[in-house]
Amino acid sequence: PGYEVDQMKRLWTSGAESTLSQIEAKRQRESGSIGEDFANYPQPTSDTTSLSDEDRVLLAKYINPDYLSEKIMGQVAEKFADDSHIQLAAFLNAETAAALGASLKQVDRLDAMDGIDIPPHGTGERGRWHAFGPPVIRRYMRLDGPAMANAAEGSAQEGIVSDAESHATELLAALRDDLFASGAYARWLSSITTLALSGCRGMVRRFRSGLDYTLGTPDGAKTAILDTVLCLVDDPDQWADGVVGGYQCYVDGGNEDEASNDGSVYRASEEDGALLTTPAAWNTLSVVMREPGVVKFVKYVSASAPGSRWDVSYEYQVLAGDEGEE
C-alpha cells in the first residue's frame, strides 16, 4: 500500500531534485539527530545548585516522587558516575503513566498496529503528527514537526483525530514543553549526573511497527552530549529481547574523517561492537552520556511488534571541560 510505480524514477531522474535532497540531508545531519540547533540556557546548570521548591512542584507534576528524594537522587548519581548511563523504571508518576498508557494503546489499536500486518505508508500522519526524514537516514513520526518534502512517504492520512489521540498528543506535548525543556528538569539532571549543562534540543517521536527506524549517523558533536529518552511501549516483555527491534543502540562511529556522508557505512556494522543497547520499555527513562564520535540509532521496528515505540527524546549539551576523565 502506498507504493508508486514511477516513484524512484521521479526521485532520481531530475538532477535539481536530487541535489536539493542531498543538500537538505546534509543540513539535517549537521544539525544533529534531532534536526535542529540547541537552545542555550541563560546560565549553565550546576550539580551544586539545589532544587528549589518551585522546581520540585513542577517536577512532581510528572515524575515519580521517589526520584525526587535526596536519597534516591544520590544513589542514581553514584550509579551514573560509575557507568555513565542509567535506566530509571517507572519514571512518570502513576497518574500520568496510567493516562498516557491508555491513550497510546488506543491510538495503536485504531491504526491497526497489532503485530500482524505492515501498515500502509502514511499511517498515523494526521493532525500534529508528521513523518520525519530524510528516509536515507531516518523515518519516524514527529509531534509538531515539519512534513517531509518528498512524496515517497505517501499521502498523509485524512480523517478526524480521535479523542484518544488528542489526549495522548496533549500529554506528550506537555512532557516535552513543561518537563524536558524546563530549567527545573535540567537542574534535576545535573543533580543526578554531576554534569553542567548548557543547552537542550529534543522532540516527541513515534516509531510505527513495520515502518520506522534511524541509522547510525555522525552528528559532528565536538563535546559530550547527555541523552535522555523516555520510552513508552505496550507489552514491554515482547520488546525486551530486541527481536522485534525498537531498541536504541550506541556504537563507535570510527574515524570522523572517514565517516560516510549518508550513514551507509554503518548499515553493515551498526550492531557489531555495540557500546550500549537500551531495550524498548514502558515508562523508562534512559540517561546516557555520549562522547564525541559515538553514534546512536533506533533499530527498525518489526511489523510483529505489539505496537509503536513512543518516546520523548532530548539531548543536552555538556559544558566543555565537564565531561570527566576518560
Side-chain angles (χ1 to χ4, degrees):
Y3 174 74
E4 299 176 18
V5 176
D6 64 344
Q7 175 173 293
M8 295 306 297
K9 179 180 178 181
R10 185 160 40 81
L11 287 173
W12 296 110
T13 56
S14 171
E17 290 181 1
S18 177
T19 301
L20 180 60
S21 175
Q22 292 169 0
I23 292 173
E24 175 63 14
K26 183 175 184 294
R27 183 197 68 79
Q28 293 200 36
R29 285 195 302 274
E30 290 177 343
S31 61
S33 58
I34 296 297
E36 58 192 35
D37 296 330
F38 284 96
N40 293 324
Y41 299 127
Q43 291 184 334
T45 63
S46 170
D47 65 298
T48 60
T49 303
S50 300
L51 295 176
S52 67
D53 291 341
E54 291 78 7
D55 288 342
R56 291 184 177 277
V57 169
L58 186 150
L59 296 173
K61 183 178 178 181
Y62 302 103
I63 296 178
N64 183 331
D66 288 345
Y67 291 124
L68 299 179
S69 74
E70 293 295 337
K71 179 180 179 180
I72 298 298
M73 289 171 62
Q75 293 173 348
V76 171
E78 290 179 6
K79 177 66 174 174
F80 186 86
D82 291 338
D83 300 337
S84 295
H85 66 85
I86 194 169
Q87 286 191 284
L88 305 178
F91 178 70
L92 298 176
N93 60 41
E95 181 181 359
T96 302
L100 197 52
S103 296
L104 295 180
K105 188 172 184 177
Q106 178 72 356
V107 174
D108 272 347
R109 188 186 69 80
L110 293 174
D111 283 337
M113 300 283 177
D114 50 15
I116 300 175
D117 298 317
I118 298 177
H121 283 242
T123 296
E125 190 173 355
R126 56 182 174 258
R128 296 168 63 181
W129 292 90
H130 299 283
F132 187 62
V136 292
I137 56 175
R138 59 183 167 236
R139 181 177 64 197
Y140 49 80
M141 303 295 290
R142 176 180 177 179
L143 175 59
D144 296 328
M148 289 179 63
N150 66 61
E153 178 69 17
S155 301
Q157 282 189 330
E158 298 294 339
I160 299 174
V161 176
S162 67
D163 290 342
E165 182 168 340
S166 295
H167 187 225
T169 298
E170 290 173 3
L171 286 173
L172 289 169
L175 288 172
R176 178 193 63 193
D177 300 336
D178 297 344
L179 182 61
F180 280 72
S182 71
Y185 182 73
R187 288 185 284 274
W188 178 79
L189 282 176
S190 285
S191 297
I192 67 165
T193 64
T194 69
L195 297 173
L197 308 175
S198 60
C200 70
R201 63 185 179 191
M203 63 174 66
V204 176
R205 308 181 297 185
R206 179 190 186 186
F207 290 84
R208 301 159 294 177
S209 58
L211 294 174
D212 295 336
Y213 55 87
T214 68
L215 294 182
T217 306
D219 61 8
K222 303 301 182 183
T223 60
I225 301 293
L226 186 68
D227 293 328
T228 73
V229 181
L230 173 62
C231 188
L232 303 158
V233 297
D234 186 39
D235 201 353
D237 288 344
Q238 292 195 42
W239 299 79
D241 60 6
V243 171
V244 299
Y247 55 83
Q248 182 149 293
C249 188
Y250 292 81
V251 297
D252 185 351
N255 189 331
E256 185 175 353
D257 294 334
E258 300 174 357
S260 166
N261 285 332
D262 63 4
S264 61
V265 296
Y266 300 104
R267 294 182 187 180
S269 61
E270 60 187 7
E271 293 179 46
D272 298 334
L275 302 174
L276 175 68
T277 298
T278 58
W282 167 248
N283 189 17
T284 298
L285 183 76
S286 296
V287 183
V288 180
M289 187 171 77
R290 175 164 48 93
E291 298 286 354
V294 174
V295 299
K296 61 181 178 178
F297 66 92
V298 173
K299 181 67 174 177
Y300 167 78
V301 179
S302 167
S304 61
S308 300
R309 171 197 163 112
W310 307 78
D311 67 32
V312 184
S313 177
Y314 257 71
E315 300 176 347
Y316 298 82
Q317 271 186 319
V318 177
L319 193 65
D322 199 48
E323 297 94 337
E325 298 180 358
E326 294 289 334

